[in-house]
Amino acid sequence: MRLHPLAADGLIAAALTTVAVLLGTEAVAQGWPALDPLAWTLVALLSLPLALRTRAPVAVCLAVHACWAVYVTLGYWPVVGSFGPMLAVYTVASLRPTRTAAACAALLAGVWIYAGVVSDAEAMASVVGQALGFPLVLWRFGYVARRTAELTLQVRAEQAERARREVAGERVRIARELHDVVAHHIAVINVQAGLARFVFHSDARTARDALDAIEGASGEALAELRRMLGLLRADGVQGADGAPAPGLDQLDEMVTRVRAGGVGVELRVTGTPRALPPGVQLCVYRVVQEALTNVLKHAPGAQASVELAYRAGEMTVSVTDDGHGGGPGAGQREGVDSATIPERGGHGLIGMRERAKLYGGTIVVGPRSEGGFGVRLTLPTPVQTARRGDAGRE
């Protein structure tokens, strides 16, 4: 059973206080004055603050050494109060940089020598040796403990990253296998659909059997697709909770959020809007999101424009700004994370290019000749959708 760090430090402080009290009762036998209430108070102040040593190691170290110096100045047995400062120096060395630890070790050595001078120690050479040896040993042990803790954290992080990569690789392998299964079902559906169409008027029974086969194969394919998507989303990416993917109908909300961030955005639609597949809508949404995030980060206060243009067989998305914002790094922009806009969308310029490539589109990103920055995405419209939209416009 693991104790809470604060509880463990409290127990250590209580143990050191007990040891100091037991040593204090032997002060007279060692030829030192008996401890009075003031001395016992200082003994408590030398040990009890160590309960907070891991939370404020430097402050505790300074406080303990100050109490020890007062204790020694009053002529009490220095050994009684030596354990608290030693543990405080070790704690600083194990939690703080080397320079800070060295300063605290030097403080311990100084107070130790001061105790020898005040007590008129006959073996002053031995006192100086102890004053140099004990802080050095404590500093070294603390340094080793700190490096060990750092290396342990590094090893754990590397192990976690290795495990994540192994899991990701296994998921990709399984997804490929599921892809083969789904492709098989789609092939079966295609063959059966052709058969049903061929015998639709001449052999109703065969056509019905073919439709039944299509129904079964499509159901299995959908189930496999759900498994594959669930597997690929199991690493905590957005959408794993089953929420619908954002689309063009949510662009207005995004524009409102960007305006609240200090960028004036105008949203225009040209051509005749038509229904687009969810994947294409998601692609457009994420590219616009990345582009506006770029404006928010590098050109706050600029005026931006988002234009959706529906054309025959394709649609074009343009996101431009006038470059008049005063943000740092203007003129050196590239795709950035979407931390400013909720619903983080991708990985900057790389993410936009990959999304465009996925749907057979192209994207151009760069500064404009008239000033500012621009992103232009062109996506082909699916054949059936394009035909319906073009016919409606004509």
Side-chain angles (χ1 to χ4, degrees):
M1 183 179 63
R2 299 184 61 182
L3 290 176
H4 189 277
L6 186 59
D9 292 339
L11 291 176
I12 292 175
L16 282 182
T17 303
T18 303
V19 172
V21 169
L22 294 177
L23 280 176
T25 58
E26 299 293 327
V28 177
Q30 298 296 327
W32 294 86
L35 272 64
D36 54 21
L38 177 59
W40 289 119
T41 301
L42 290 173
V43 168
L45 293 176
L46 279 166
S47 301
L48 294 179
L50 294 172
L52 302 175
R53 64 189 183 94
T54 55
R55 294 197 171 186
V58 176
V60 169
C61 183
L62 295 177
V64 167
H65 277 83
C67 291
W68 193 31
V70 173
Y71 177 88
V72 170
T73 302
L74 295 176
Y76 300 111
W77 188 19
V79 175
V80 176
S82 62
F83 297 103
M86 293 172 68
L87 179 58
V89 169
Y90 167 81
T91 304
V92 172
S94 65
L95 297 176
R96 292 295 181 263
T98 302
R99 290 185 179 180
T100 304
C104 291
L107 177 62
L108 174 61
V111 177
W112 199 292
I113 294 176
Y114 172 72
V117 172
V118 171
S119 60
D120 296 326
E122 298 179 357
M124 194 61 190
S126 175
V127 172
V128 173
Q130 294 173 8
L132 297 177
F134 281 119
L136 183 61
V137 171
L138 291 170
W139 172 82
R140 180 60 183 175
F141 282 159
Y143 173 79
V144 171
R146 179 166 61 88
R147 289 294 300 158
T148 301
E150 292 174 353
L151 291 175
T152 300
L153 292 177
Q154 182 179 352
V155 169
R156 288 178 178 174
E158 291 176 353
Q159 290 176 343
E161 178 64 17
R162 190 181 303 113
R164 188 191 65 79
R165 290 180 179 177
E166 291 176 355
V167 170
E170 185 65 17
R171 286 174 178 170
V172 170
R173 185 187 65 81
I174 296 174
R176 287 174 178 171
E177 294 177 353
L178 292 175
H179 172 270
D180 294 339
V181 174
V182 172
H184 168 73
H185 289 310
I186 297 300
V188 171
I189 292 173
N190 184 60
V191 172
Q192 294 295 331
L195 175 61
R197 181 178 182 182
F198 182 75
V199 301
F200 187 78
H201 297 289
S202 60
D203 192 344
R205 181 181 181 84
T206 302
R208 188 180 301 107
D209 292 340
L211 292 175
D212 291 340
I214 290 174
E215 181 182 9
S218 62
E220 294 178 7
L222 286 174
E224 296 296 341
L225 280 174
R226 291 192 185 98
R227 294 190 189 98
M228 181 169 61
L229 292 176
L231 177 70
L232 296 177
R233 289 176 171 178
D235 55 356
V237 299
Q238 187 204 356
D241 56 356
L248 299 183
D249 56 343
Q250 298 183 24
L251 285 179
D252 288 332
E253 298 178 8
M254 184 199 304
V255 168
T256 301
R257 291 196 297 267
V258 175
R259 287 171 181 162
V263 174
V265 184
E266 179 185 2
L267 178 61
R268 298 194 305 269
V269 179
T270 61
T272 303
R274 51 182 177 266
L276 296 175
V280 175
Q281 293 192 43
L282 177 61
C283 177
V284 172
Y285 181 92
R286 293 306 189 196
V287 168
V288 173
Q289 184 182 52
E290 294 288 352
L292 291 179
T293 301
N294 207 0
V295 178
L296 274 172
K297 182 174 182 179
H298 297 283
Q303 294 295 317
S305 173
V306 179
E307 180 179 359
L308 306 182
Y310 293 87
R311 298 188 176 92
E314 67 176 23
M315 76 170 300
T316 303
V317 183
S318 300
V319 183
T320 58
D321 67 85
D322 56 15
H324 292 164
Q332 301 178 354
R333 285 180 278 179
E334 61 180 37
V336 294
D337 292 340
S338 304
T340 308
I341 304 177
E343 302 174 4
R344 176 189 175 103
H347 301 280
L349 181 58
I350 296 177
M352 290 192 285
R353 286 176 174 169
E354 290 300 317
R355 290 183 183 278
K357 185 188 301 184
L358 178 63
Y359 292 96
T362 59
I363 189 168
V364 179
V365 181
R368 300 191 302 159
S369 58
E370 61 270 29
F373 207 78
V375 176
R376 184 180 179 87
L377 170 69
T378 302
L379 292 175
T381 304
V383 177
Q384 294 83 355
T385 304
R387 288 176 178 173
R388 289 198 301 269
D390 297 340
R393 185 172 58 182
E394 294 174 355

